[in-house]
Amino acid sequence: MAAITQPKLPPASIAIYRPLPPRRHTHLLITSLPSPPPSMRAAKVRSPFAVRDDSMSSIIADLEMDEEEEDPTEGSGRGLADRWREIHGRDDWAGLLDPMDPLLRSELIRYGEFSQACYDAFDYDPVSRFCGSCKYNRRSFFACLGMADHGYAITRYLYATSNFNLPNFFRTSRAGAKTWSQKANWIGYIAVSDDEASARIGRRDVVVAWRGTVTRLEWIADLMDFLRPVAEVGIPCPDSAVKVESGFADLYTDKDPTCRFCKYSAREQVITEVRKLVEHYAGAKGEEVSISVTGHSLGSALAMLSAYDITEMGLTRVEGKAEPLPVAVFSFSGPRVGNARFKERFEEGVGIKAIRVVNVHDTVPKVPGILFNERIPAAIRRMAEGLPWSYSHVGVELALDHKWSPFLKDTGDPSCFHNLEAHLHLLDGYHGKGHRFVLASARDPALVNKACDFLKDHHMVPPFWRQDENKGMTRAHDGRWVQRNLHEIDDHPEDTPYLLRRLGLKDHH
């Protein structure tokens, strides 16, 4: 999809906002909102009222939108429970991107928040003996992140091993032998919607969310190696010409039998858990089930690869059902994953739907395959198919531009262009080509600066503001300050070997 141009907006003005109770018929473009506490990921402050300086009133008036607040169910009169297959990509999102469908926007943000949760819950602190793990128990994960109202429960955490060199993705503790694991990193989770949420969204939804990278982008150079057939890493593809980037495949399939957390590969963890959930909800209970995979940055590459694996393994086929379960990938700022044959097999062979949300100024979605990719003429692309550096994006692209937002400053920092919270902010303000940038849900712009310095200074939101209280230090009974003890870290369900055997995979543990 070509980059979308947008009319230039006047500079945002300083204003003081006083939150009021929700109102249905006022829609203002917000220029500043108070920062939420670190535990609140996405405070939804609805319809704030601006107390404006008279000297700035004309500029602010230019930024107001004289129409009612969007309700995703208005217009068609149908909510998500009625439209979920369409929103999940049944028709490749045709007619929903321009103008932007309000219900699709809210769902894209929701799945982006599942991916953002991986960042917010990850322990990055190298002086913590739990560095590289998840800070929260899976049973309290969403509650600790202020996401309990999403209505999902985590069924399994995902881990990967750092058997190969990925220093900018894997984090290790300086505590040495005292650390929780010297070889593993937490890289995501699998969750399923509860009964109440399932009724609201129209089906039982299984979510696979992958962690990516927050600010360091050097991992792209680490991974740009060569393409290899997916069949070589155990994914049962009938076409040997279907290839993916070798670094992504290694991260997805590597394991270490000596480590409690990565004795099973990320691949084995995903396919066994998805198999179990599909058999329980779609098979035994006969419910409608969808599989939604999401990730940002490197996590997007893992999302594409795991969605393909789930489908190619036949995990979407349920006895007694004529159609396979729908699988959709919600990708944010992801790199290319495979070659043109992978794209064909992904989209046409196994029928996965994927939507890629990108910032046109971000370099990550442009690699690998800078020279030979899906944008070059078809004749040249066919000649380049055999080259080890010829790649193609999959799915549908939604191209956004951070220069549309009056909240964001002009910077040359590529990590800002790549930031996931910035992408969610851009989604919230995007209404289609030629439309002005207006926040549809009043999602707090302060969230953008959680892990970067992207908001204009007059909003008075400090950069990199999200951190644990006292950096995780607590005062002991004797008055000394010590690192808090983490909960018992979840590893793997006891039925994993049994499920691997049922899938025809050998268990060596």
Side-chain angles (χ1 to χ4, degrees), residues 11-15 51-63:
S13 307
I14 301 175
V51 180
R52 298 174 290 185
D53 187 324
D54 288 341
S55 62
M56 298 293 181
S57 59
S58 61
I59 297 177
I60 295 175
D62 287 340
L63 295 176

Side-chain angles (χ1 to χ4, degrees), residues 330-403:
F330 298 90
S331 161
F332 300 86
S333 191
R336 295 184 180 94
V337 176
N339 62 359
R341 296 296 287 272
F342 174 75
K343 173 184 173 67
E344 292 171 8
R345 183 70 184 169
F346 186 100
E347 296 175 352
E348 301 170 17
V350 294
I352 303 169
K353 305 300 182 179
I355 184 167
R356 297 180 296 101
V357 181
V358 303
N359 178 355
V360 297
H361 301 282
D362 184 15
T363 58
V364 171
K366 301 173 185 177
V367 296
I370 295 178
L371 296 178
F372 299 103
N373 55 60
E374 72 286 348
R375 297 182 183 275
I376 64 175
I380 299 177
R381 189 167 63 246
R382 284 192 295 270
M383 290 189 293
E385 279 183 3
L387 298 175
W389 50 85
S390 178
Y391 290 79
S392 289
H393 267 308
V394 301
V396 177
E397 180 176 278
L398 174 58
L400 307 175
D401 188 334
H402 69 257
K403 293 184 178 181

Side-chain angles (χ1 to χ4, degrees), residues 161-184:
T161 180
S162 54
N163 282 343
F164 60 102
N165 185 30
L166 260 181
N168 299 298
F169 179 73
F170 283 92
R171 303 302 293 263
T172 57
S173 173
R174 300 174 188 168
K178 297 180 180 179
T179 187
W180 71 286
S181 174
Q182 296 180 336
K183 298 181 178 180

